[in-house]
Amino acid sequence: MPRLPADGLAGLAASGLFTLGARALETSRPDALLHDALAVELVDRLDWRFDAYASDWMTQLTVAIRTEILDEATRDFVQRRPGGRVVNLGAGFCVRGLRLAATDVDWIDLDLDSVIALKRRLVPERPGYRYLAASVLDPAWLDQLAEKPHRPTLLLAEGLLQYLPRPEVARLLGNLARRFPGSEMLLEVISPLAVALAALSPTLTRAGLRPQWGIGAVQTLERWVPGARVAASWSYDRHLDRWGWVRAVAWLPPIRDLMRIVDLRFPVTPA
């Protein structure tokens, strides 16, 4: 079967390709933190320069740990809120809904037109699992999910928001809180130090990506969305046996908190 070309994707739209490759590489390891057979299959079906990113072990491990954390937290939501809805913002080529066999919720992967067009050729939609082609910053997509606004909803955003302008991210979070009152959001945030260190990342340099903002205390998000609260947060300081020289300094707060997943709960009654 001929491979599907993916060179038309660039910048943030292409970021889902190197994270796809990272999950495939992790799956191939004997000590894998996750098993994503579909990621391996998709890498084989795409004509793209995955090998150019394979040597960046630190980014690969970061993606694997981030995936593990989000899988665990998403699985918890699905078990707590059967009949709910999960919206994966900037989903790229992540197929978490299928990997977790999340059949008790409606799953929606949202991304740019170019990404969704290619993803549809790779992984067809099916009942309970569909795609939405839109920019996450265009509020028009919210109208397409306007039915049952109080339905239990989990919003996911990994490897996305830090590459968008901070004022627009704050505006997006406010819109989400108003349109999905009482919903939960799992989002990745990075620190100001991580923003500075991004210039040293081979993967981000090759992809032409630069994060635009970072925060210190995760409670900063509560000031962006009045009434919201941070229910939990997770740093990536796990599986230290895999971190090589980094584990010697991983306990230091500035290193430990370079990247975190935050569980943000929106108010039932928007402010």
Side-chain angles (χ1 to χ4, degrees), residues 147-159:
E147 78 285 357
K148 300 180 180 178
H150 292 278
R151 183 181 189 180
T153 298
L154 174 65
L155 301 149
L156 302 175
E158 56 178 312

Side-chain angles (χ1 to χ4, degrees), residues 166 169-170 173-174 177 185 187 189 213 215-233 262-267 271:
R166 178 171 175 154
V169 172
L173 296 182
M185 186 171 189
L187 64 156
V189 299
W213 59 273
I215 57 175
V218 295
Q219 285 73 23
T220 300
L221 298 172
E222 297 177 346
R223 297 198 295 272
W224 291 9
V225 184
R229 66 180 179 89
V230 172
S233 67
V262 178
D263 180 353
L264 185 66
R265 306 293 175 94
F266 293 136

Side-chain angles (χ1 to χ4, degrees), residues 44-117:
D44 287 339
R45 292 178 59 192
L46 286 168
D47 182 8
W48 195 69
R49 52 192 184 281
F50 290 103
D51 290 346
Y53 293 85
S55 63
D56 185 356
W57 68 269
M58 197 174 295
T59 295
Q60 189 276 322
L61 178 57
T62 296
V63 170
I65 291 176
R66 181 177 75 189
T67 301
E68 180 184 57
I69 294 171
L70 285 168
D71 280 0
E72 292 171 355
T74 302
R75 191 179 291 113
D76 174 71
F77 172 85
V78 171
Q79 292 171 350
R80 286 187 292 108
R81 310 301 296 270
R85 168 175 56 191
V86 180
V87 185
N88 194 0
L89 306 176
F93 298 93
C94 175
V95 288
R96 178 171 287 112
L98 300 180
R99 186 172 63 251
L100 298 183
T103 56
D104 289 338
V105 297
D106 283 336
W107 194 284
I108 301 162
D109 281 349
L110 181 146
D111 213 314
L112 299 170
D113 290 353
S114 56
V115 176
I116 294 299

